[in-house]
Amino acid sequence: MHARVGDRLVVEGRTVSMHRREAEVLEVRGADGGPPYLVRWEDGHESLAFPGPDAHVVPAPT
């Protein structure tokens, strides 16, 4: 997985009761665009994300 600042991190719900979550990538801390990522979630809180197999990156519009 590779991301750049401004991209969107999307984490799909693994079950029906889990909702899809999206966050904006604020900082890339891994080598060559890899995780971990500092992200801001839709509710405004920020966290360090180590995305799993249920996540993907949506590139920011250019």
Side-chain angles (χ1 to χ4, degrees):
M1 178 176 297
H2 298 284
R4 296 180 303 176
V5 172
D7 288 350
R8 305 287 298 170
L9 177 66
V10 179
V11 181
E12 302 293 346
R14 290 179 280 175
T15 65
V16 174
S17 64
M18 294 179 72
H19 300 286
R20 176 182 186 165
R21 299 179 63 205
E22 292 190 30
E24 177 186 1
V25 176
L26 303 176
E27 187 177 314
V28 177
R29 295 191 178 178
D32 298 321
Y37 307 122
L38 178 65
V39 298
R40 181 180 301 122
W41 298 99
E42 297 166 305
D43 64 3
H45 86 274
E46 295 179 7
S47 67
L48 196 58
F50 294 84
D54 55 343
H56 64 276
V57 172
V58 175
T62 55

